[in-house]
Amino acid sequence: MVAAPAETPLTLRQALRLTARMLIAQVQDLVRTHYVFPDVAAGIADVLDALDGLPVEAADEPAFAEAVTTVLQSVNGDRHLRVRHYPEGVPPEQDEDEVRAYFAALARESGPAISEVRRLEGNVGLLTIGPLILPPEYVRPGASAAFTLLEGVRRLVIDLRGCVGGVPESVALLVSHLLGDEPVHLLDLVHRDGTVEPSYTTPAVAPRLPDVPVVVLTSSRTFSGGEELAYDLQALGRAVVVGETTVGGAHPREAFDLTTHLQLHVPIARSVHAVTGTNWEGVGVVPDHPCAAEEAVDVALAL
């Protein structure tokens, strides 16, 4: 009998390129299945074929994440659609105990949302929010304490220049402290299948500062949940916005683990604001008083 020829073993480079192609195929499938706009999803997934000819290897995970993200966002500029590299490992998304422990650690490290509360000269309150607005169970006690300290201020400046994300329920909670005790419809999250998830302010917060004039500060880094807070207050006529036009990310996303250090974020709904009928996707929150971010406090105080 003649022995069958042995298969030529893959070189290390070939194996790495094969792994990269498998990851790209996984990303394509997840985008086609979950992206909020099915018609756009097909086009986004198809452009990833262009990566097959690029020198991108899965072993260099930061470079891989950057390359895939660039291609994913090349179709419609959706900044929430991306692959992120986490050097310490991807954050948990499924196991409830792990998720709670993760958020608890974030809250201990950088605060649940409120990072600074103080009074400026002239009895002007300054409330700095960010870098992340965590889920309500972490934000609620901090927000209550912050607004208690701010009772009696003549004006309130809310600094969102460093706020790069947040949970919609917690954004609604923060807005609730600045409105009356009747629920206010903020926006609807419209999912891919047409399911609508409404967001309202809640009467179950205290204290409230419904009559204090509010100025919101933004920067070109303000993103996602930070943008929603600025947009809500501006659209409701509750605040004027000072600073720079924000990033422009209005689509809530879901996360999918690709490896222990790579995670794909796919927008799974679109925001439709109850006042404007639209959102800030791609255009950002446009300030009422544009200025450089570093000048925003001085401009706000001079209004």
Side-chain angles (χ1 to χ4, degrees), residues 19-102:
T19 301
R21 285 197 294 271
M22 292 172 64
L23 286 175
I24 291 170
Q26 186 180 357
V27 170
Q28 289 174 309
D29 183 60
L30 289 167
V31 169
R32 290 191 183 102
T33 305
H34 297 282
Y35 188 64
V36 56
F37 304 116
D39 53 338
V40 181
I44 292 174
D46 288 345
V47 298
L48 283 169
D49 290 332
L51 279 175
D52 192 47
L54 296 178
V56 177
E57 296 179 355
D60 188 351
E61 292 190 327
F64 179 84
E66 182 179 356
V68 175
T69 297
T70 297
V71 176
L72 285 171
Q73 296 180 0
S74 67
V75 174
N76 65 345
D78 193 328
R79 297 291 290 273
H80 276 111
L81 179 62
R82 55 186 174 173
V83 173
R84 289 196 61 181
H85 175 255
Y86 294 89
E88 304 301 322
V90 296
E93 291 283 337
Q94 302 300 326
D95 186 279
E96 291 185 8
D97 291 337
E98 290 182 358
V99 170
R100 279 195 294 269
Y102 174 76

Side-chain angles (χ1 to χ4, degrees), residues 152-266:
V153 296
R154 185 170 59 86
R155 286 193 294 157
L156 176 61
V157 176
I158 300 177
D159 189 351
L160 297 174
R161 291 175 295 176
C163 188
V164 296
V167 177
E169 294 87 350
S170 295
V171 172
L173 187 151
L174 292 169
V175 174
S176 300
H177 281 279
L178 297 169
L179 300 179
D181 56 7
E182 292 295 324
V184 175
H185 186 193
L186 296 177
L187 54 78
D188 292 321
L189 298 179
V190 183
H191 291 260
R192 174 180 168 128
D193 62 1
T195 303
V196 176
E197 184 181 350
S199 174
Y200 285 83
T201 59
T202 174
V205 301
R208 296 175 181 274
L209 308 180
D211 302 316
V212 175
V214 178
V215 179
V216 170
L217 310 183
T218 59
S219 76
S220 59
R221 292 184 60 244
T222 308
F223 184 53
S224 193
E227 292 180 285
E228 183 192 339
L229 181 52
Y231 192 92
D232 285 343
L233 294 173
Q234 184 187 54
L236 291 167
R238 187 62 188 88
V240 295
V241 178
V242 173
E244 299 171 342
T245 300
T246 61
V247 175
H251 296 154
R253 55 82 175 172
E254 188 172 342
F256 301 91
D257 294 347
L258 301 175
T259 70
T260 55
H261 294 277
L262 292 177
Q263 195 174 68
L264 171 67
H265 294 177
V266 181

Side-chain angles (χ1 to χ4, degrees), residues 102-103 106 110-114 129-134 139 162-167:
Y102 174 76
F103 280 123
L106 278 182
S110 57
I114 313 296
I129 296 178
L132 294 173
I133 303 173
L134 299 186
V139 173
C163 188
V164 296
V167 177

Side-chain angles (χ1 to χ4, degrees), residues 109-164:
E109 182 176 341
S110 57
I114 313 296
S115 53
E116 182 181 19
V117 183
R118 61 189 173 107
R119 293 189 185 226
L120 307 177
E121 184 178 352
N123 196 23
V124 177
L126 176 64
L127 176 65
T128 304
I129 296 178
L132 294 173
I133 303 173
L134 299 186
E137 56 264 39
Y138 303 99
V139 173
R140 188 175 291 108
S144 179
F147 283 99
T148 297
L149 292 171
L150 291 167
E151 284 188 292
V153 296
R154 185 170 59 86
R155 286 193 294 157
L156 176 61
V157 176
I158 300 177
D159 189 351
L160 297 174
R161 291 175 295 176
C163 188
V164 296

